[in-house]
Amino acid sequence: MPPSLRFPSSRSLSRRQTPHEPDLPGVRGTVRVDGRTKDLTKRLKSGDIAVIDHQDLDRVSAEALLDCKPLAVINAAPSITGRYPNMGPEILVDAGVPLLDNVGTDVMLTLVDGQSARLDGDTLYAGEVVVAKGTILDHDLVAAAMIEARAGLAVQLEAFAANTMEYLRRERALLLDGVGVPDITTVLDGRHALVVVRGYHYKADLETLRSYIREYRPVLIGVDGGADALREAGHRPDLIVGDMDSVSDATLSCGAEIVVHAYRDGRAPGLERVRKLGLDSVLFPATGTSEDVAMLLADDKGASLIVAVGSHATLVEFLDKGRSGMASTFLTRLRIGGKLVDAKGVSRLYRSRISNFSLGVMLFVGMFALFVALAATPAGTTMLQLVAARWDDVWSFVVGLST
């Protein structure tokens, strides 16, 4: 990370004090408390102290926290349990954000959102009262925990395989025959589909795919907050798929077709929200993640290529998502097969095409060769003289208008 983007350490941060506050050590900021990290990041501001309850802090959540530039992060739960090598703590520590770990769940009830607090070393104070005490994670502690966590991957792999078989048993008809996929009005047959999840590097991927989107005009499918990501990048989603827990009302009302992901028994908590906005929607009952539902829908409706933005590709990324083995994601990719392409692969292939600069050079060389060929023949010379005369007439006309 460039030095200009690094966060100062807790020791080098200046204290925020009012004239009535004693000169106490540590750093002071406004507390923002929420048990759901993705909800907290919607209102977390630069200089705030984030208080979360997030076991095995994942990469996406850590990057979302980092974007808000918090003064420090207090985690009620252990940021690394050792089940697998999760990436979140390392991202925060590398950026210089103090991470006070495993302080206990009482802090979520003791602190009031919006109050002032002071972090001094491994202790968090509200006024003069100690409200939390834990472990400040540093590079050495995180590195040691990662080594232990990698040793536990074999256990997680067994759980992953078991969950995969269970998911296959429950969703065999959907995966093999497409049974249960609803009808939609958006036409995907023979077109590319761009499925956007608010996951790893989604902003950078959308930026690099601008030219691809402009040329191929794929069907833009936003998965929950991924629909907001599309609008932030200047695009309007064609389809919004998900349980509607992290997409804004403005995006839901942008004119896109809405597919509400429901539980297999038909319960859909997000359906009521859509109805309150006066919007029509389609229900898709299925086990698994909304990301998988969006991909299965695109595949079933005949998309010729599915480009995934912010999705998951490796076993560690599946586990880092925090779901039971992410079996549905694994099997969905097997079901889609060669149609699925990661956004990074598309951007690399697309950049390998002839650039605008190269096209300009080729055009200049071609025009120069044509000029030389015309100048070498009597007929060509006469044509060039006529063109030059016409150009003189046009230029004289322009000069006359200006004077």
Side-chain angles (χ1 to χ4, degrees):
M1 176 174 291
S4 62
L5 297 180
R6 290 183 63 83
F7 289 76
S9 67
S10 59
R11 295 182 182 275
S12 63
L13 282 166
S14 61
R15 296 187 294 273
R16 299 182 175 190
Q17 298 169 341
T18 68
H20 305 290
E21 290 174 340
D23 187 14
L24 297 173
V27 293
R28 186 181 300 275
T30 301
V31 168
R32 300 297 174 193
V33 186
D34 204 306
R36 299 190 70 186
T37 306
K38 67 179 180 180
D39 291 340
L40 177 67
T41 54
K42 295 176 183 177
R43 51 194 174 85
L44 186 66
K45 296 183 177 63
S46 177
D48 289 345
I49 296 177
V51 181
I52 61 176
D53 187 4
H54 196 139
Q55 182 174 290
D56 287 324
L57 185 63
D58 61 274
R59 177 176 175 176
V60 173
S61 298
E63 289 177 345
L65 287 168
L66 203 58
D67 286 342
C68 300
K69 297 180 174 58
L71 188 68
V73 176
I74 315 297
N75 195 352
S79 299
I80 307 171
T81 64
R83 293 186 302 119
Y84 64 92
N86 57 305
M87 309 170 191
E90 185 175 3
I91 289 172
L92 292 178
V93 170
D94 284 347
V97 178
L99 175 56
L100 184 60
D101 189 50
N102 199 19
V103 301
T105 55
D106 288 346
V107 72
M108 308 298 293
L109 303 174
T110 304
L111 288 172
V112 178
D113 195 272
Q115 77 177 100
S116 178
R118 176 173 59 91
L119 177 64
D120 181 21
D122 62 355
T123 307
L124 184 70
Y125 297 86
E128 297 301 312
V129 179
V130 175
V131 292
K133 192 175 181 65
T135 303
I136 287 285
L137 295 185
D138 57 21
H139 290 92
D140 293 337
L141 289 175
V142 171
M146 288 297 97
I147 292 173
E148 293 182 9
R150 289 187 182 94
L153 269 179
V155 176
Q156 295 303 313
L157 186 60
E158 291 180 6
F160 182 90
N163 286 321
T164 299
M165 293 305 297
E166 175 63 19
Y167 176 76
L168 181 59
R169 183 187 65 79
R170 288 197 306 254
E171 297 289 1
R172 179 172 50 201
L174 172 63
L175 288 169
L176 299 181
D177 304 315
V179 176
V181 179
D183 292 327
I184 58 175
T185 58
T186 303
V187 178
L188 288 107
D189 191 28
R191 299 179 63 187
H192 290 196
L194 186 73
V195 179
V196 179
V197 182
R198 217 162 196 164
Y200 304 137
H201 307 298
Y202 71 93
K203 290 183 180 178
D205 287 347
L206 281 174
E207 184 62 32
T208 58
L209 289 175
R210 281 190 177 277
S211 298
Y212 162 77
I213 294 172
R214 190 182 310 116
E215 180 176 344
Y216 285 91
R217 297 190 177 278
V219 177
L220 302 178
I221 304 176
V223 180
D224 278 323
D228 286 323
L230 279 168
R231 293 191 72 211
E232 290 166 7
H235 310 292
R236 188 183 76 85
D238 300 299
L239 266 172
I240 300 175
V241 181
D243 50 18
M244 308 302 150
D245 67 339
S246 58
V247 58
S248 66
D249 289 348
T251 298
L252 283 173
S253 304
C254 73
E257 185 173 9
I258 299 173
V259 178
V260 178
H261 179 200
Y263 294 108
R264 176 46 78 184
D265 60 8
R267 289 180 296 116
L271 186 59
E272 184 62 27
R273 181 187 174 195
V274 175
R275 286 175 175 169
K276 284 182 178 179
L277 292 172
L279 302 172
D280 295 326
S281 62
V282 175
L283 208 61
F284 191 164
T287 311
T289 68
S290 298
E291 175 185 335
D292 308 327
V293 165
M295 292 182 180
L296 288 170
L297 182 65
D299 178 57
D300 185 79
K301 300 308 176 186
S304 59
L305 186 73
I306 301 173
V307 180
V309 172
S311 185
H312 312 86
T314 68
L315 177 61
V316 172
E317 288 177 353
F318 290 164
L319 297 173
D320 203 31
K321 183 64 176 174
R323 300 230 168 80
S324 300
M326 289 292 285
S328 63
T329 301
F330 176 68
L331 288 173
T332 297
R333 278 151 179 73
L334 290 181
R335 168 71 173 82
I336 295 172
K339 282 186 181 182
L340 182 63
V341 181
D342 185 75
K344 293 176 181 60
V346 172
S347 63
R348 291 187 187 113
L349 289 172
Y350 200 80
R351 284 199 300 267
S352 68
R353 293 185 172 191
I354 299 174
S355 65
N356 292 335
F357 176 77
S358 299
L359 286 174
V361 171
M362 291 174 61
L363 180 61
F364 174 78
V365 171
M367 294 297 293
F368 181 75
L370 178 62
F371 175 80
V372 171
L374 290 173
T377 62
T381 302
T382 302
M383 183 180 296
L384 290 175
Q385 290 173 347
L386 289 172
V387 171
R390 290 293 184 186
W391 172 252
D392 287 340
D393 292 342
V394 172
W395 180 252
S396 298
F397 176 75
V398 173
V399 171
L401 288 176
S402 62
T403 57

